[in-house]
Amino acid sequence: WLSLLDTRLGLGLILTIVLLTACGRSGNGEASTPTPAVAPAATAQNAPAPKDHPRLRVQTLDGKDWDLAQQRGKWVLVNYWATWCGPCLQEMPELSAMAAMRQHLVVIGLAYDETEPAELRAFLAQHPVTYPIARVSVYSPPEDFGVPRTLPTSWLIGPDGRIVRKYSSQVTARMLDDDIAAHGGPKAG
């Protein structure tokens, strides 16, 4: 029985180390340069869609209902992040600026951790963004997007509601602008 307990504790420790490493956190708690969990070429490839037209209905921290189906006609970035993820925090200001400046782009942040809503609100007061944030449980994430292998993970959804691209690392404005333009959307500038 003790051997089984030791095995479970060991696996839990290994999983924690892998998650922290994938998120770019160094041993001293500071964010480090992110190391993608997949080869760089794979992060830029078209991702297989979990569904042709994925569904996402969440309640944002401000109590509003947010529905992906109501965003048709716009480009949408669904962004999984966590408060403890250094690379996630690094991309938030750029995503916030894009959400504010690009009329054709909607961003929804999905806080993928078990932080309580009040704690998330306090965190966001220190790290404000212009786009809505919803808390999703690590135990039951949105079915059509599933469990991310790394954080941050983002999905670019086209105006027709289809997944265009999956990013398994930080997203930049240039990446989004280039991918939107490559798939028939407006060019930046």
Side-chain angles (χ1 to χ4, degrees):
W1 189 86
L2 287 175
S3 175
L4 178 61
L5 181 61
D6 287 342
T7 301
R8 286 186 180 171
L9 289 174
L11 289 174
L13 179 61
I14 290 170
L15 179 60
T16 300
I17 291 169
V18 167
L19 285 173
L20 289 175
T21 301
C23 194
R25 181 168 279 205
S26 65
N28 63 6
E30 306 246 334
S32 63
T33 303
T35 304
V38 296
T43 61
Q45 295 175 352
N46 284 340
K51 286 199 164 196
D52 195 27
H53 289 86
R55 291 168 296 152
L56 177 63
R57 296 174 94 179
V58 291
Q59 187 173 52
T60 61
L61 288 177
D62 60 3
K64 296 179 181 173
D65 291 328
W66 192 95
D67 188 348
L68 180 59
Q70 293 177 345
Q71 309 306 317
R72 290 298 193 306
K74 294 194 176 201
W75 294 87
V76 178
L77 186 73
V78 176
N79 175 251
Y80 278 62
W81 68 282
T83 57
W84 46 263
C85 171
C88 300
L89 300 180
Q90 290 173 357
E91 77 178 353
M92 288 172 75
E94 196 163 0
L95 295 181
S96 187
M98 285 200 70
M101 296 184 331
R102 306 282 195 276
Q103 297 300 316
H104 61 275
L105 179 66
V106 173
V107 178
I108 178 74
L110 302 180
Y112 187 72
D113 63 29
E114 291 303 310
T115 303
E116 292 298 319
E119 292 174 273
L120 272 176
R121 285 184 195 92
F123 177 86
L124 290 167
Q126 298 297 312
H127 305 275
V129 294
T130 60
Y131 53 89
I133 300 289
R135 180 178 169 265
V136 296
S137 173
V138 297
Y139 302 109
S140 59
E143 183 180 325
D144 289 357
F145 291 91
V147 176
R149 290 185 177 195
T150 63
L151 290 175
T153 293
S154 300
W155 302 81
L156 180 61
I157 313 296
D160 63 355
R162 295 177 192 265
I163 293 176
V164 171
R165 180 128 323 165
K166 178 183 177 184
Y167 306 92
S168 296
S169 62
Q170 282 181 256
V171 178
T172 66
R174 180 167 187 138
M175 292 165 68
L176 287 172
D177 285 338
D178 289 349
D179 287 337
I180 289 170
H183 288 88
K187 293 181 181 182

